Amino acid sequence: MSTVAYCSFIWGSGYITARARTRTHRSLQKTEEQKRRIMSVLRKINPTLQRICICEQENLGRRAMQITRELKQGVKKPYKELVDVSIGDAHRGGMKPITFVRQVIAACIYPELLHDSALPADVKERAWRLMRECDGGSVGSYTEACGIPYVKSSVSDFITRRDGGVPASPENILISSGSQTALMFVLSLLVHGEGSAQTGVAFPVPTYSSFAMALDELGAEMVPYYLCEEEGWALRVEELRRAVRASGLHCTPRVLYVINPSNPTGNVQSRKIIEEVIRFAAEEKLVIMADEVYQDTVHEEGIDFVSYKRVLFELGPPYSESVQLASFHSVSKGFMGECGLRSGYVELVNLDPAVMEQACKWLSAGSCSAVTGQIALNIMVDPPRPGDPSYTMYSQEVKFKKDTLTCNVRRVQEVLEDIPGFTCQAVGGGFYAFPRLHLPQRAVQRAKELGLEADLLYCTRLLEEEGVCLEAGSSLGQKEGTHHIRLCLMTSTKTLEMVLKRLKRFHLRFLKEFA
Amino acid sequence: MSTVAYCSFIWGSGYITARARTRTHRSLQKTEEQKRRIMSVLRKINPTLQRICICEQENLGRRAMQITRELKQGVKKPYKELVDVSIGDAHRGGMKPITFVRQVIAACIYPELLHDSALPADVKERAWRLMRECDGGSVGSYTEACGIPYVKSSVSDFITRRDGGVPASPENILISSGSQTALMFVLSLLVHGEGSAQTGVAFPVPTYSSFAMALDELGAEMVPYYLCEEEGWALRVEELRRAVRASGLHCTPRVLYVINPSNPTGNVQSRKIIEEVIRFAAEEKLVIMADEVYQDTVHEEGIDFVSYKRVLFELGPPYSESVQLASFHSVSKGFMGECGLRSGYVELVNLDPAVMEQACKWLSAGSCSAVTGQIALNIMVDPPRPGDPSYTMYSQEVKFKKDTLTCNVRRVQEVLEDIPGFTCQAVGGGFYAFPRLHLPQRAVQRAKELGLEADLLYCTRLLEEEGVCLEAGSSLGQKEGTHHIRLCLMTSTKTLEMVLKRLKRFHLRFLKEFA
């Protein structure tokens, strides 16, 4: 597909328009008098917040919570249990936590357990080690705002090992309440200006919806570049160049956001692509924000995750000395799936020391992230080693999770290939499948009449009729005229089978209804 | 003191000027070439962050961490251990955690413990109850962005009980990663505009330094009102009126921040004062932000904490129906002192439903706060009851902490009264003492020569010579020509005695040196 053809894709058929539409749609339910009153009240608050409009996907999420409550209250539905695989939450999907993680946190929280003979010696040693790093020996004390120095060191060692010896340094690591907080922090540092000086942030389409909301909130200019579905959702540098160059006419592109392995597409970038992206960022003087939270979950055989940091350093000068990079990871999206503990980190590379100093000053005005999360992060980057009492169990649990995910990936592709109206690109990594829906024209027409995107109508009906909550492609961004759904595969086998059974039943009924 | 006299106080001798001065001071250490390069780099980042300048107090904090490292490395100092009572961190100060809190969290984190006969039945019941509220039965799942509905309900019930039956509702409760996050959230909602439309936020002087930094970051106009030291640091409504009315000439005052019991002064507001403040806020149409995180720690006999919410409702209409109020509480600053778990809440009262809706939409775009913190919050607002297996131990532990704090308050006043050069107003509540320092003119002169506030010179010397870290009054704001120190009293008796011994020794030496 040529660059010109890419240019003709219309951005905005996705969540941005959906959000504007929601606003209109909901307003219709209010009287003119009510609307006037609301507007006069809203004028008194921060205008950025006045703009915020919930997307239909969030309404879907709210409806899912409501249905769960109704089921608890005994309301009759065609199903007994709601299954929500709309977001990447492993434990919600029935995956179990890793025992070593939970044992160490429990021992730090309640040190009486250190006298309990049931806990393995390495659990106790790690708990002692971590508690020694806390003021007053308690996880109830504040830590330094950027995280416990010992945990930062362990993150730094992990990165060095992962990247085949490319050096890392604890001073460049900031620990936060999850990767999203760190992403917002780095964006806040870089986004400024108005008119042609306004910071442009290039990001892939599709991407998860809260990223675009963050850009909107910070006042960044959105510079979407489209991933190529036909090539397994590959990032193509010519499309990236087109998007960035075009945006240069009305803003100042400063940031390039990439996510590898990809949410939602499952694409895993090759070293060659990463090299091209880095060379491009160097040409255009863009800061690379590399979201690498799915780095632990590459399931395609023969493919390995390679970090942007590693490729950057292996490219050598001038790249390794000049390209500014922020790389993110998290305990939520790795094999641990500990979303509720809230922890992640960003490694900042090649940032000017003056900027780093300002960033640290800004951070130090805030509080630290939750210490329990910092402990989970320490274990993620420094797990039990061969010979340690917990090594066997830890390895088995991690392997079980990875195997389950790999099986789920195969299984979902197998099932969807067999149903008419689905095509699904290979899922190389990450937590999700993002199959394309080929819907009957009548269904698309019906959705239009209702003021909805067709995939959102599909997801809404699926939720009501079968109790399965998915994310609609329209809230993630997609080529105009295409429709997709995203489902999280980081679930137990049982959960996935339930989802697939209900999805298939609904899908065939839906196709028949609109045939 | 007359209103006119208040007007003549010069704001700016405190941390604002201190920050500007720091900038100049530090710049002097750099060559012109270095400065030019730094400025050219900083122009590329967010201008709000360019403005941020670390205050000397933070440099003191950094130096304290450095000294701790040096002591660990075996560097010889006149002391073996550094004691940091510069911030309100109970566990750092040697206070122990509450057993029931830690047992419940440990059981939720590592549910194997539910089969452990050593844990009391009510610990297990509470853990079961909380885990049932988590998706997949795991604290590793995301919760709703505003918190677990069950925890929000328990907060709402607590408020109703606390306020003698004044109704509260879970929909008005937002759970966050500590009260500071909630404060920033509410401020972000309210602060906007430029020039004469710029939001003015009235806040007491002295107040903790990160509050003013937050206002600066958000682009609010600072409207300082001075507390009256001579009257035990009382809030006087005539001074508040003076400050707000004067600010109306160059901005639009919209928010009134109060903190009760006060940080750093220890003043506890009477019902009469609160009534006056509410009537004033109603007159001026100000949203009240009531920081009530120290509500559990009132140590003066015969004085009770009364919440702004309660007084507002007991005033009746039109106040109870119109005055907008945000009230904050936290697990960090109560008797639990669980700073590292990161949890707090805000209750929003009389906010327009349209604004509430926008606030919830905005919040729902982010992630939840750490679940372990939410559990601690649940226990803070719904502790063991008489008859429960853990009741006796829980009550004893809470009583021990409260008694220790009350003793510490008495002890510090006793000791300081005996030393020349100190006056200390009665400390009615909260975590801190904020005594005034009467320093010799030669010490003030010496500080001036060094480009420092005199109390900062005092704290710096105290840190280096005796290994005690305090906060200087100049970083909290104070009347020009006065000097203060803040020390946290929520510590073990042993820690406090060590602080007082070293402080006294240093103080007498310092007075002698500059006599």
Side-chain angles (χ1 to χ4, degrees), chain A residues 78-231:
Chain A
Y79 42 86
K80 286 197 180 124
E81 193 188 337
L82 183 135
V83 195
D84 186 348
V85 285
S86 66
I87 60 166
D89 184 336
H91 296 192
R92 178 183 292 181
M95 285 282 200
K96 297 278 167 262
I98 304 275
T99 305
F100 185 76
V101 178
R102 297 304 190 92
Q103 286 176 331
V104 172
I105 299 177
C108 289
I109 280 282
Y110 185 51
E112 280 292 309
L113 295 173
L114 294 168
H115 311 298
D116 186 338
S117 58
L119 285 187
D122 54 348
V123 165
K124 294 180 189 176
E125 276 160 33
R126 180 68 65 97
W128 274 119
R129 183 75 190 85
L130 285 158
M131 283 162 61
R132 266 213 311 277
E133 300 295 325
C134 297
D135 280 318
S138 169
V139 296
S141 300
Y142 292 114
T143 72
E144 289 185 31
C146 312
I148 300 170
Y150 166 69
V151 179
K152 286 167 57 173
S153 281
S154 64
V155 169
S156 167
D157 292 347
F158 156 79
I159 294 171
T160 307
R161 280 197 313 276
R162 180 197 69 186
D163 292 344
V166 172
S169 160
E171 292 88 66
N172 295 334
I173 311 288
L174 310 177
I175 295 175
S176 67
S177 306
S179 63
Q180 288 304 302
T181 310
L183 261 159
M184 277 300 274
F185 173 73
V186 174
L187 280 171
S188 304
L189 202 64
L190 300 170
V191 171
H192 63 98
E194 288 190 3
S196 63
Q198 188 186 16
T199 298
V201 179
F203 66 101
V205 176
T207 207
Y208 56 96
S209 51
S210 61
F211 188 79
M213 279 186 84
L215 295 186
D216 195 26
E217 193 184 320
L218 293 169
E221 177 71 17
M222 300 192 198
V223 182
Y225 60 92
Y226 287 78
L227 302 173
C228 184
E229 180 165 10
E230 295 74 13
E231 295 178 16

Side-chain angles (χ1 to χ4, degrees), chain A residues 457-479:
Chain A
L457 171 64
Y458 183 95
C459 289
T460 308
R461 291 272 308 266
L462 174 66
L463 175 62
E464 293 294 340
E465 296 173 23
E466 296 283 351
V468 171
C469 191
L470 302 182
E471 181 143 26
S474 50
S475 72
L476 299 154
Q478 56 198 359
K479 249 174 79 178

Side-chain angles (χ1 to χ4, degrees), chain A residues 494-510:
Chain A
K494 189 180 145 212
T495 302
L496 185 76
E497 289 302 331
M498 188 147 55
V499 168
L500 290 177
K501 190 176 148 194
R502 296 187 193 183
L503 176 63
K504 185 174 176 180
R505 189 162 57 201
F506 165 78
H507 183 80
L508 296 175
R509 202 164 61 228
F510 190 83

Side-chain angles (χ1 to χ4, degrees), chain A residues 473-494:
Chain A
S474 50
S475 72
L476 299 154
Q478 56 198 359
K479 249 174 79 178
E480 202 189 5
T482 68
H483 301 106
H484 299 80
I485 51 173
R486 185 187 77 168
L487 58 163
C488 173
L489 305 179
M490 188 61 154
T491 67
S492 66
T493 310
K494 189 180 145 212

Side-chain angles (χ1 to χ4, degrees), chain B residues 148-177:
Chain B
I148 300 171
Y150 166 68
V151 179
K152 285 167 59 174
S153 281
S154 65
V155 170
S156 166
D157 293 347
F158 156 78
I159 294 171
T160 307
R161 280 197 312 278
R162 179 197 69 187
D163 291 344
V166 172
S169 160
E171 291 88 66
N172 295 334
I173 312 290
L174 311 177
I175 296 175
S176 67
S177 306

Side-chain angles (χ1 to χ4, degrees), chain A residues 296-309:
Chain A
D296 293 332
T297 48
V298 174
H299 9 268
E300 209 167 330
E301 264 180 59
I303 295 189
D304 284 323
F305 166 79
V306 197
S307 76
Y308 268 76
K309 166 90 179 294

